Amino acid sequence: MIMIKRLRKQDAIFLLISFVVFAAFQFLISERILSSFWRLNIAVICLNIILASSLNLINGVTGQFSLGHAGFMAVGAYVSAVCTMFFHLPFICSILAGAAAAGVLGFCIGVPTLHLQGDYLAIATLGMGEIIRITILNIPQVGGASGMSGIPTETTFTWLFFCMIVTLFVLKNIINSNQGRACLSVRENDIAASAMGINTTEFKVFAFTVASIFAGLAGGLFSHYFGIAHPSSFTFMRSFDIMTMVVLGGLGSLSGSIIGAVILTFIAAAMQSYPEYRMIVYALLLIILMLYRPNGICGDKELVSVILGRFKKGGKHDGTVAENK
C-alpha cells in the first residue's frame, strides 16, 4: 500500500512537471520566440527520448545488448508513410500502424534471437537492423535508395510531447509492475531467475517487443515531421547514437535516458558544422564517463525518487532539530 501511494505521488509530480514544461515550450514555439534551429532540436530531443527510454527497457532493465533499434524505427517510419501516402489513412492511424508493424517484427525476430546472450545477441541484433535497412533499400515501391519524399508533415510539437510522455509513463509503469520486476531479475542473474520459475526468454521477448513498438512510434513521428523517410537515416550509427544516450544517462534509469538524450542532441547540434569530429567527442565522453562514473549520470536511480527521498530526510531532520530545541 505504501509503495502504491509512493508511485502515485511520483506520477503526480511527473505529470505536473510535464504540464509546466509543455506549457512553457508551447508558448515559446507559438510566439516564435525560439528560432527554427531550436524548434528543430526540441523535436529531435523528444524523438530521442522516446528511442533512448525504449531501448533502456532492453539494455538497462532486462540486461540484454541490442544494437538494432534503428531498424525498428525504420519500419515504423516507412509503414506509417505508406499508410498515409498510399492508403490515405488518418495520421493517428498511420503512426499506430507503424508502431504495430515494428512490434510484430520485433516479436518475430526476438523469439529466435533472444535465446542468445552477450556479444552473440549484439551481433544478431546488429545484423537484423542492417537486414531491415538493406531490404527497404531494395524495395522500389517505397523509393529504394532515394527514399520516400513528400510525406505530409503532420507531426507537431504537441504530438511529439504527448507521445513522449505516454512512452515514459507506460515504460515507468511496466518497470514497476510484476513483468518489470521479472525483467530486472533476468538482468541480475538469468540462471537464478530461471531456477525461480521465471521464463527468462518470455520476458526478454516481452521487453524487446515493447521497445520495438515505441521505436516504431518514433519512426512514424520522424517521417511525418521531416516529410521524408530515407534508408541513410536508419544506419548502424543511428543505433549507436541511441545506445550512447542510454549508457550516458544510466542503464535502468528513465531519468538518465532523458538526460542522455538531451545532452547528446545538444552536442550533435553544436557540432553540426564539424560532423567528422562528432564521434570523437562521443568516444571521449564515454571514456571520461567510464573512468569517473561507470554507472552513468543517474546510475539506475530516478530523479523523482531521489528528490522525494531527500525531501523526506530533510523534513525528518528539521523535526528532530525542533524537538531538541
Side-chain angles (χ1 to χ4, degrees):
M1 191 68 182
I2 296 174
M3 180 62 71
I4 293 174
K5 288 183 179 179
R6 186 181 300 170
L7 291 175
R8 287 178 178 174
K9 184 180 291 186
Q10 291 178 7
D11 290 342
I13 293 173
F14 172 73
L15 292 174
L16 178 62
I17 293 173
S18 301
F19 177 77
V20 172
V21 171
F22 172 75
F25 277 105
Q26 184 64 31
F27 172 77
L28 294 173
I29 292 172
S30 60
E31 296 297 322
R32 299 285 178 177
I33 297 174
L34 292 176
S35 64
S36 59
F37 174 80
W38 289 111
R39 291 199 298 271
L40 172 64
N41 280 284
I42 289 170
V44 173
I45 286 172
C46 292
L47 289 170
N48 285 340
I49 288 174
I50 296 173
L51 292 164
S53 58
S54 58
L55 182 62
N56 208 349
L57 183 63
I58 303 174
N59 288 17
V61 177
T62 314
Q64 305 307 299
F65 192 28
S66 174
L67 285 174
H69 217 50
F72 299 113
M73 184 184 178
V75 172
Y78 274 90
V79 169
S80 63
V82 167
C83 289
T84 299
M85 297 183 68
F86 296 165
F87 300 105
H88 307 290
L89 293 180
F91 171 64
I92 180 64
C93 296
S94 297
I95 60 172
L96 289 177
V104 170
L105 184 61
F107 176 81
C108 294
I109 293 174
V111 170
T113 59
L114 287 171
H115 291 281
L116 303 172
Q117 293 181 354
D119 298 339
Y120 300 103
L121 178 60
I123 293 170
T125 52
L126 171 62
M128 172 270 301
E130 286 301 296
I131 288 171
I132 293 173
R133 187 180 68 86
I134 297 300
T135 301
I136 293 172
L137 197 65
N138 288 279
I139 300 177
Q141 287 78 8
V142 294
S146 301
M148 293 184 70
S149 58
I151 303 170
T153 54
E154 299 186 46
T155 300
T156 61
F157 171 71
T158 303
W159 274 107
L160 286 169
F161 195 89
F162 173 76
C163 291
M164 180 188 72
I165 296 302
V166 169
T167 301
L168 293 172
F169 192 80
V170 170
L171 292 175
K172 175 184 177 297
N173 282 280
I174 287 176
I175 293 170
N176 292 321
S177 67
N178 292 333
Q179 289 82 3
R181 285 187 284 272
C183 291
L184 288 170
S185 69
V186 172
R187 180 189 71 182
E188 297 302 324
N189 193 319
D190 58 346
I191 297 175
S194 180
M196 293 297 293
I198 295 174
N199 189 332
T200 56
T201 303
E202 177 184 336
F203 286 103
K204 289 177 185 178
V205 173
F206 168 76
F208 202 76
T209 304
V210 172
S212 302
I213 290 172
F214 287 112
L217 175 66
L221 294 170
F222 173 89
S223 62
H224 284 82
Y225 184 84
F226 292 98
I228 187 171
H230 197 279
S232 62
S233 300
F234 312 108
T235 61
F236 159 70
M237 294 310 301
R238 182 59 170 147
S239 295
F240 180 78
D241 285 347
I242 302 166
M243 188 194 68
T244 306
M245 295 172 194
V246 175
V247 174
L248 177 65
L251 293 169
S253 171
L254 291 178
S255 304
S257 297
I258 296 171
I259 294 171
V262 171
I263 291 174
L264 287 191
T265 304
F266 275 120
I267 290 176
M271 301 196 66
Q272 199 170 26
S273 302
Y274 311 97
E276 62 273 14
Y277 298 112
R278 183 169 60 94
M279 297 311 299
I280 297 176
V281 174
Y282 279 16
L284 290 174
L285 188 63
L286 287 176
I287 291 171
I288 294 170
L289 186 73
M290 292 300 107
L291 289 174
Y292 296 101
R293 196 166 180 83
N295 292 329
I297 294 174
C298 293
D300 59 353
K301 301 292 189 295
E302 300 294 345
L303 287 180
V304 175
S305 302
V306 173
I307 292 171
L308 285 176
R310 289 185 177 179
F311 178 77
K312 287 182 179 180
K313 287 181 181 179
K316 289 179 182 179
H317 177 72
D318 293 341
T320 305
V321 173
E323 287 178 5
N324 291 336
K325 287 182 179 179

